[in-house]
């Protein structure tokens, strides 16, 4: 449950940074991808689903998108 709490704090922080007016458009995309990573970790830590398939796909998809955006920079 502690993992879910920490991941949710990260999710809220990245959502706040994504919607902040002071953040450039390219950084907003990175924060959006980071939000998906934290959201997947939150769902994994909260143990809502019987299997870890959906939260795992959300986490891996967000991480792959984040790495791809960092690679394109």
């Amino acid at each position: 449950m502690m993992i879910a709490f920490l991941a949710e704090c990260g999710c809220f922080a990245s959502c706040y940074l994504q919607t902040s007016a002071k953040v450039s458009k390219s950084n907003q995309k990175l924060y959006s991808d980071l939000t998906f990573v934290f959201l997947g970790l939150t769902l994994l830590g909260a143990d809502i689903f019987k299997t870890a398939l959906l939260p795992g796909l959300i986490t891996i998809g967000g991480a792959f998108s984040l790495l791809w955006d960092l690679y394109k920079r």
Side-chain angles (χ1 to χ4, degrees):
M1 201 55 144
M2 187 65 170
I3 294 171
F5 174 73
L6 293 175
E8 191 62 33
C9 291
C11 188
F12 282 128
S14 57
C15 283
Y16 172 75
L17 289 171
Q18 179 188 358
T19 58
S20 177
K22 298 176 185 174
V23 177
S24 66
K25 291 287 184 187
S26 62
N27 285 344
Q28 282 181 348
K29 175 70 173 122
L30 295 177
Y31 289 129
S32 172
D33 296 337
L34 195 60
T35 301
F36 278 108
V37 172
F38 281 125
L39 178 65
L41 290 175
T42 301
L43 294 175
L44 279 171
D47 200 27
I48 295 173
F49 299 100
K50 292 184 187 233
T51 64
L53 182 64
L54 182 63
L57 287 174
I58 293 171
T59 303
I60 291 171
F64 179 75
S65 180
L66 179 66
L67 290 174
W68 182 255
D69 290 341
L70 289 173
Y71 173 74
K72 289 193 311 186
R73 281 184 159 207

